[in-house]
Amino acid sequence: MRILFASSELYPLIKTGGLADVCFSLPMALESLGHEIKIVLPFYRAIKEKINPDACLFKGKIFGCLGEISIFSTTISASGISDKAQTNMPEIEVLLVDVPDLFDRAGGPYVDENNCAWGDSAYRFTVFSRVVAMLGNDQLGLHWKPDVVHCNDWQTGLAIPLLKLVKKPPASLFTIHNLAYQGNFSKAEYDYLLLPEDWWSIDGLEFYGECSFLKAGVMHADWVTTVSPTYATEVQTPEFGERFEGILQFRKDRFVGILNGADYSQWSPQNDPFIDTHFSSDSISRKRLNKTFLQEKLQLPIADDIPLFGMICRMAYQKGVDLVIDALPELLTQNIQVVVLGSGDIYYEAAFKKLKQEFPDKLSVTLAYDEALSHQIEAGSDFFLMPSRYEPCGLNQIYSLSYGTLPIVRNTGGLADTVIDVNKQTISANTATGFVFEKANPPELIKAVSRALSLYRNKKLLMQIRLIAMASNFSWEKSSREYERLYRLAVNDGNKNNKPISRE
Ligand code: ADP
């Protein structure tokens, strides 16, 4: 099949979170199943600073965009940015949508340099979605018509109904990576976007008095997916549904949870491109050298017998960052080290800075985005803290397992689907891989950390559980086949049950 994959992030070109990793590794897995994939992405300034595109495939104006649009082409390979010298690596073409007024700016895809959301994102991602839809219908002269357009998150949600403005659109699939981010905008902004007037309706984009780009994707895609089976169930309840529970229940026959996979060519102790000392379950003693490396790099006392806890995340309420902040003063009275890497909410960043001053020998805090350090933390830590309030899938706990870095997680979403709690039954069944706790409060987190510390003292059992964790396999092989199955259903089924809102 020909598949056009649309996203606002793509590793290694631009990444703010797991979306970028998934939009890299899932297409790679699909390509290895024999499909023909192109990925379409905005051409942000940060990407311009990294690569020179190979060719310009389109230049011109389209309806709904004031500026001129160019589409450039580049390729990425399984090892990251394409290296022409390595001809045997699978490669995927990336179509970069260049609208300089909208994407050639300092700052990130969604926020400016001061971490403030861009004020014109409704327009930016409407234009991007228009281009995605036109590519999907082969209206820009590329002579490549996909069988399926796979859109990801609200930034590409509008592309789904826009695709259906023509008579024979390709099949469509929409993936929700995080339901909390909905792309909701006011009626005044909506009016400025030049979308069909009758889309402002309950069956269209209207959502509690605003318009929602996420709703556009959820309501109109042939199939809707999210990134773990447990999250797919959770979001159909008011507790996790973020006001979408009714809409998702309405679409439940076409709504599936498919667990994200890990790209073990980047995230495994055997292959990791960012660590000096590789190891495997046969040479697990070498993991210690990664711990020493990390302690040295972050100027913590170098000692193998001090249990080291890692944490890498966007500093957001979702991630339970406040639980860690509240638990740390008590946890750090013990002989442990904690290494934190993240950026985001300035309130949390300030709290970590303050704690770092109080516990300089026990706590390392890096408030930045640092790809290399994130890998080194996975490799060098003994345990990984991920106490998310909700977690659509979560990748870091999956990465942690592969490095024998036992995750400490809440029983929610993808965390519940990937980590098996250490207890009597799971120890004797040889299935335990980490620590799972129920309630999002500091005492429960502290209890889970205490359980981890007890295990740390029992070296034989610690080794047994590390080996089980390292043997767990969350590769894309199975999940990419599930996507493939949905693509086929969508293509075969056409749009029978899913009429466009209106046609121009
Ligand atoms: P989310 O997408 O909700 O942020 P995930 O666990 O699905 O969470 O994915 C997070 C990804 O982003 C992981 O690859 C993680 O290593 C990476 N990441 C998050 N924060 C940072 C950071 N400050 N520096 C480097 N990588 C980070």
Side-chain angles (χ1 to χ4, degrees), residues 9 15-22 177-178 181 260 267 312-315 318-319 341-343 366-375 378 384 386 391-397 399:
E9 294 185 30
K15 170 169 167 179
T16 72
L19 175 66
D21 286 357
V22 173
H177 294 261
N178 190 334
Y181 300 93
N260 281 338
W267 291 98
I312 307 162
C313 67
R314 286 182 293 113
M315 296 226 171
Q318 171 201 342
K319 299 291 178 183
L341 168 65
S343 60
T366 307
L367 300 174
Y369 189 89
D370 187 333
E371 188 73 30
L373 181 58
S374 71
H375 287 249
E378 289 290 7
F384 191 85
M386 199 155 169
E391 194 57 75
C393 176
L395 290 172
N396 278 115
Q397 85 284 9
Y399 300 154

Side-chain angles (χ1 to χ4, degrees), residues 3-11 13-14 19-20 23-24 27 36-44 47 57-58 62 69-76 92-99 103 110 124-138 140 142 144 146 148-153 155-157 159-160 163 173:
I3 301 157
L4 179 67
F5 207 86
S7 168
S8 58
E9 294 185 30
L10 171 65
Y11 176 83
L13 299 177
I14 185 96
L19 175 66
C23 292
F24 170 75
E36 194 184 326
I37 319 281
K38 291 186 198 289
I39 305 173
V40 52
L41 179 77
F43 202 0
Y44 304 107
I47 303 180
L57 306 179
F58 170 84
I62 64 163
I69 291 177
S70 308
I71 298 181
F72 290 97
S73 165
T74 190
T75 45
I76 53 168
I92 292 183
E93 182 176 14
V94 181
L95 304 174
L96 295 160
V97 178
D98 189 28
V99 192
F103 301 121
Y110 322 118
R124 294 166 72 231
F125 289 108
T126 299
V127 169
F128 179 58
S129 294
R130 284 185 189 280
V131 175
V132 172
M134 294 184 83
L135 288 168
N137 285 316
D138 196 20
L140 295 177
L142 269 61
W144 189 83
V148 182
V149 177
H150 185 161
C151 291
N152 294 277
D153 274 352
Q155 294 84 359
T156 57
I160 303 270
L163 266 177
L173 193 133

Side-chain angles (χ1 to χ4, degrees), residues 27 41-42 56 126 189 294 296 298 311 340 387 394 412 429-430 437 458:
L41 179 77
C56 179
T126 299
E189 280 178 282
L294 192 63
E296 200 171 343
L298 300 175
M311 179 171 179
V340 176
T412 187
N430 264 331
F437 65 99
N458 183 343

Side-chain angles (χ1 to χ4, degrees), residues 386-403:
M386 199 155 169
S388 307
R389 287 201 160 71
Y390 70 92
E391 194 57 75
C393 176
L395 290 172
N396 278 115
Q397 85 284 9
I398 297 178
Y399 300 154
S400 300
L401 291 170
S402 105
Y403 295 82

Side-chain angles (χ1 to χ4, degrees), residues 78-99:
S79 64
I81 292 174
S82 181
D83 175 358
K84 295 270 176 292
Q86 292 187 314
T87 43
N88 55 352
M89 281 272 175
E91 289 198 331
I92 292 183
E93 182 176 14
V94 181
L95 304 174
L96 295 160
V97 178
D98 189 28
V99 192

Side-chain angles (χ1 to χ4, degrees), residues 229-305:
T230 295
Y231 190 61
T233 308
E234 287 173 343
V235 289
Q236 294 180 56
T237 67
E239 191 187 347
F240 292 93
E242 306 275 350
R243 303 190 298 175
F244 263 80
E245 60 274 14
I247 295 171
L248 291 166
Q249 283 163 22
F250 173 71
R251 295 242 50 205
K252 70 174 189 299
D253 293 344
R254 296 279 182 130
F255 178 46
V256 180
I258 302 176
L259 197 65
N260 281 338
D263 178 356
Y264 291 121
S265 73
Q266 305 286 313
W267 291 98
S268 70
Q270 295 93 329
N271 305 321
D272 193 314
F274 295 98
I275 62 173
D276 289 341
T277 311
H278 291 107
F279 61 97
S280 68
S281 41
D282 293 332
S283 56
I284 196 168
S285 60
R286 289 162 66 81
K287 180 172 169 62
R288 190 168 39 87
L289 300 174
N290 286 280
K291 183 169 174 179
T292 308
F293 173 91
L294 192 63
Q295 288 168 326
E296 200 171 343
K297 176 166 177 166
L298 300 175
Q299 290 161 359
L300 289 169
I302 296 170
D304 184 43
D305 57 340

